[in-house]
Amino acid sequence: MIRTEQTGPILTITLDNPPVNALGAALRSGLAKAIARAADDISVGAIIVTGSGKLFSAGADISEFGKPLADPQLPDVLAAIEACPKPVIAAINGTALGGGLEVALACHYRVALASAKLGLPEVKLGILPGAGGTQRLPRLVGVEAALKMIVSGDPVSVAKALASGLVDKVVENAADLLTAAAGFADSPARPTGERAVSGDAAAADAFAAANPRLFKGFTAPTACVEAVKAAATLPLTEGMAVERRLFLELVAGDQSKALRHAFFAERAAAKVDDLPKDTVKRDIARVGIIGAGTMGGGIAMNFLSAGLPVTMVETNAEALERGAALIRSNYEATAAKGRLTTDQVEAAMALLTPTLEFGAVGECDLVIEAVYENMDVKKQVFGRLDAVAKPGAILASNTSYLDVDAIAACTSRPEDVLGMHFFSPANVMKLVEVVRGAKTAPDVLATVMALGQKVGKVPVVAGVCYGFIGNRMLIPRQDNALALVMEGASPEQVDKVHTDFGMPMGPFQMTDLAGVDIGWHRDETRIDNLKDALCAQGRWGQKTKAGFYDYDANRKRSTSPVVAALIEEFREREGITPRAISDEEIVARTLYTMVNEGALILEEGIAQRSSDIDVVWLYGYGWPRWTGGPMFWGEREGFAKIVAGLEHYTDRMPESFSIAPLLRSPQPEPVA
């Protein structure tokens, strides 16, 4: 766990706990002992702390999460480093996150490799840096810069770290790192905790006021501000006590438990239970995309950004040119924000081959169909793909709802077919539902799951059913939302219940954004419901500046008197006398029904585990992360309470509605 090597008066301590040099009990103990020996050894004049491999340390050992920690605790180890009478220099050889960065903060000097990243991501687990991070970082970079790192949880580049004072020297080449660190060996010990803080409590409050988005719904960011205020107003020892108190409160809180669940759920989703670990994956050297529309272009960008060549096929030149131009426009917009260089934009675009020749995908190892959501159209595409795709090529459909097995049956190789349901905008949204068909080969599934991670996505396996996991659960929510409006609620009331809960938008806001006309039969002689009536009037949502709401030129929504009149008209036609609808009923009929549908999905084996359902909704639909996802939230809410709520309103549900047996006798998974 710890390696030491002395060269002259300099002792180098290497954190050696592959793969990420996690700060588990054995490493903490070894580090503490090495520091103590070095402090007492008269032959040691200075100490360098570095990491093995390509990381300095990624922080805590996740296997210790939720368990009592063995001594020595990290704050005690870091106190010993800071109190060492000999200069201690952190040689940051790669990424330093969480407790890893806190180790570096406790050192007297910091030298970093230019390619390293430094961050304190604890807030993303509903906690705060608990080993002095909230106390030492402000002493190096000031209150505002410290809060920006701690409250966002996002890492910073070494260039920014140097400019802020977080690191003292930057080295371009790894071979020069230890030599550069040794350059501080004759400098005096310089405890970070004895430094003055630039900024005060007012600066902390100003940061919170200026960044409400970082605080909405979460408890940890507010605690981070309180801890940094303590750094600005108290000596280190007293500030550490404040940090510790807040840390323990957060760890015991519901939000941290939910966020830790989400953390482990994402990692579990990558595992396919019945897939042998030694499954040999297929090589993917080139990807084909059928369709250059918004989805096709967005999907293509994921592979281009990962360095994979893409052949993009369209049926007419104008659509193809428009699709390629949109990809370039998206890249250039990212470059304008400083997130890409011009060279990176050009490198990505150089990997794109737009073509009108369908047969060009014959050289691709993976072909993703991204055409209109219509079964006949998709079957036609897959029939053509079967004729031109090379043997062993994986054929994937970006379908949102349709039967992947029926699509696969149009080919002579159903074992090579699966679904890859990307979410819009596909170049931004991280979720991909990987739909496993009845005949999908194990190596096909393994390849696509691994590829999804390679291109920065969160892949989740789903079985074949209408809507798979996410959209299937959306159906009862949307159906009940419409029914509630007919019975007396307003779209605004239903949406507000959802946004108050923490969703980014409510059912009607979402429909307007996606398009009210999705799935519309476009036959104005058949107006069966409110959505049909809106579509017949051209109220297709934000794209036409009118849907369930009216929209101005900036897409700002307002209540629509036209919609209010239509609702009244439908109520009269159906003989419905509007009644007062409580928020509690909206929760039961739109959120509880989602948990119920999730339980049915589990019973049917459409999802491997309940946490996979949570991942789908966290990454695909903006379900509030601090609740852990719909299934985790449902368990916390109490399945008995959910069943009681559903039973209370059963007579107002569709005749086909039934309560999942799993909710009546649940087998909950262990909670992290």
Side-chain angles (χ1 to χ4, degrees):
M1 294 293 181
I2 291 289
R3 288 189 284 110
T4 60
E5 181 180 354
Q6 187 167 345
T7 304
I10 299 176
L11 178 72
T12 300
I13 301 173
T14 302
L15 311 178
D16 189 11
N17 184 19
V20 297
N21 297 327
L23 299 168
L27 190 148
R28 295 195 302 271
S29 177
L31 179 58
K33 290 174 182 176
I35 291 292
R37 283 195 298 265
D40 293 338
D41 189 340
I42 60 172
S43 72
V44 175
I47 304 161
I48 295 175
V49 180
T50 192
S52 65
K54 296 183 178 180
L55 282 85
F56 181 75
S57 171
D61 184 342
I62 62 172
S63 69
E64 296 182 343
F65 280 21
K67 302 174 184 176
L69 289 180
D71 288 331
Q73 303 285 312
L74 188 59
D76 298 328
V77 178
L78 302 193
I81 291 175
E82 188 169 56
C84 184
K86 301 169 183 180
V88 184
I89 306 104
I92 305 172
N93 58 303
T95 299
L97 298 177
L101 181 56
E102 288 179 299
V103 170
L105 294 174
C107 294
H108 304 142
Y109 299 92
R110 283 151 294 281
V111 179
L113 198 60
S115 58
K117 294 284 186 182
L118 312 178
L120 294 170
E122 287 87 349
V123 71
K124 295 183 179 182
L125 295 179
I127 54 178
L128 51 68
T134 67
Q135 303 305 297
R136 293 189 178 99
L137 185 61
R139 287 174 161 83
L140 294 174
V141 304
V143 166
E144 185 176 355
L147 278 173
K148 188 173 183 180
M149 281 185 67
I150 294 168
V151 173
S152 73
D154 297 330
V156 298
S157 66
V158 165
K160 288 185 178 180
L162 180 65
S164 69
L166 174 51
V167 300
D168 301 292
K169 188 177 180 64
V170 176
V171 175
E172 292 294 331
N173 299 312
D176 300 327
L177 182 64
L178 293 182
T179 301
F184 290 91
D186 294 329
S187 302
R190 186 181 63 171
T192 305
E194 294 180 4
R195 297 194 188 190
V197 176
S198 172
D200 54 16
D205 289 334
F207 175 86
N211 295 277
R213 183 182 59 83
L214 295 175
F215 292 80
K216 185 178 180 181
F218 292 97
T219 56
T222 301
C224 292
V225 171
E226 186 178 342
V228 171
K229 280 184 179 181
T233 57
L234 298 172
L236 180 68
T237 303
E238 295 178 33
M240 289 287 290
V242 172
E243 179 189 86
R244 190 64 181 167
R245 172 180 59 81
L246 293 168
F247 176 83
L248 292 174
E249 289 174 359
L250 290 171
V251 166
D254 287 342
Q255 280 202 7
S256 180
K257 292 173 184 174
L259 291 166
R260 294 198 310 260
H261 165 78
F263 175 86
F264 286 110
E266 180 181 339
R267 279 146 186 80
K271 301 170 185 174
V272 183
D273 288 342
D274 61 349
L275 201 61
K277 291 184 179 180
D278 59 354
T279 302
V280 178
K281 301 175 184 65
R282 301 187 187 184
D283 292 330
I284 305 296
R286 175 174 285 274
V287 177
I289 308 290
I290 308 296
T294 301
M295 281 302 295
I299 292 169
M301 288 181 70
N302 296 295
F303 300 101
L304 297 172
S305 298
L308 281 169
V310 172
T311 299
M312 187 168 69
V313 177
E314 252 297 347
T315 55
N316 69 78
E318 182 181 353
L320 186 64
E321 184 177 342
R322 186 167 57 245
L326 180 59
I327 291 174
R328 175 173 285 280
S329 175
N330 286 338
Y331 274 128
E332 290 178 345
T334 303
K337 297 174 183 176
R339 297 174 188 165
L340 287 176
T341 64
T342 301
D343 287 346
Q344 287 173 319
V345 171
E346 295 306 321
M349 291 303 300
L351 294 170
L352 177 66
T353 303
T355 179
L356 297 174
E357 297 297 325
F358 192 91
V361 298
E363 62 182 356
C364 297
D365 305 293
L366 165 67
V367 184
I368 302 172
E369 162 273 308
V371 302
Y372 184 65
E373 185 75 351
N374 176 280
M375 180 60 89
D376 291 337
V377 174
K378 290 184 185 289
K379 284 182 175 180
Q380 181 184 23
V381 168
F382 272 79
R384 294 182 68 190
L385 274 178
D386 190 37
V388 302
K390 66 182 182 181
I394 298 173
L395 310 180
S397 175
N398 176 52
T399 176
S400 305
Y401 288 93
L402 301 178
D403 186 338
V404 170
D405 288 333
I407 293 171
C410 295
T411 74
S412 62
R413 39 175 144 174
E415 68 279 2
D416 292 337
V417 179
L418 45 56
M420 288 183 74
H421 177 207
F422 289 82
F423 286 68
S424 185
N427 56 306
V428 176
M429 298 295 285
K430 294 188 71 174
L431 179 69
V432 178
E433 282 183 309
V434 179
V435 186
R436 182 184 198 173
K439 296 184 179 180
T440 301
D443 64 332
V444 168
L445 184 62
T447 301
V448 170
M449 291 294 288
L451 183 63
Q453 291 183 301
K454 179 180 177 180
V455 301
K457 297 301 184 185
V458 178
V460 178
V461 175
V464 175
C465 68
Y466 186 73
F468 317 126
I469 297 173
N471 282 342
R472 174 171 162 178
M473 289 172 66
L474 200 63
I475 293 169
R477 185 185 86 158
Q478 299 301 107
D479 288 349
N480 276 285
L482 273 171
L484 283 160
V485 165
M486 288 297 98
E487 293 169 31
S490 66
E492 291 86 349
Q493 182 190 1
V494 175
D495 282 347
K496 186 174 186 300
V497 167
H498 287 78
T499 54
D500 285 351
F501 177 74
M503 298 291 286
M505 61 187 73
F508 298 104
Q509 293 168 284
M510 190 196 76
T511 299
D512 277 358
L513 178 64
V516 183
D517 59 322
I518 291 178
W520 181 45
H521 48 63
R522 301 181 188 275
D523 179 356
E524 293 187 21
T525 63
R526 283 184 54 206
I527 300 178
D528 297 329
N529 53 47
L530 179 59
K531 280 187 69 176
D532 287 348
L534 295 178
C535 289
Q537 293 191 15
R539 299 184 66 93
W540 295 355
Q542 289 190 18
K543 58 190 173 186
T544 60
K545 297 183 181 179
F548 283 96
Y549 298 98
D550 290 334
Y551 296 89
D552 64 17
N554 298 315
R555 296 202 173 192
K556 182 179 179 181
R557 64 188 171 89
S558 59
T559 299
S560 171
V562 173
V563 173
L566 281 172
I567 291 170
E568 288 302 323
E569 179 182 322
F570 269 88
R571 286 171 180 165
E572 289 179 11
R573 192 171 86 176
E574 299 294 329
I576 297 171
T577 301
R579 59 184 176 84
I581 305 285
S582 68
D583 289 353
E584 177 269 334
E585 181 176 352
I586 294 172
V587 167
R589 292 176 62 183
T590 60
L591 296 179
Y592 286 3
T593 50
M594 290 177 63
V595 175
N596 184 69
E597 197 68 30
L600 292 171
I601 285 170
L602 275 177
E603 290 172 357
E604 295 168 21
I606 300 300
Q608 293 185 100
R609 51 188 81 91
S610 67
S611 61
D612 283 7
I613 297 173
D614 290 332
V615 171
V616 166
W617 272 84
L618 290 170
Y619 282 103
Y621 299 86
W623 186 281
R625 195 171 180 85
W626 64 82
T627 71
M631 305 312 289
F632 185 87
W633 171 75
E635 187 174 335
R636 291 284 171 178
E637 186 82 349
F639 290 138
K641 178 181 178 182
I642 288 176
V643 168
L646 293 172
E647 286 180 334
H648 185 72
Y649 296 108
T650 296
D651 61 336
R652 294 172 185 165
M653 305 279 197
E655 287 185 13
S656 59
F657 174 77
S658 64
I659 295 175
L662 188 61
L663 292 185
R664 298 188 186 275
S665 54
Q667 301 293 321
E669 296 177 12
V671 175

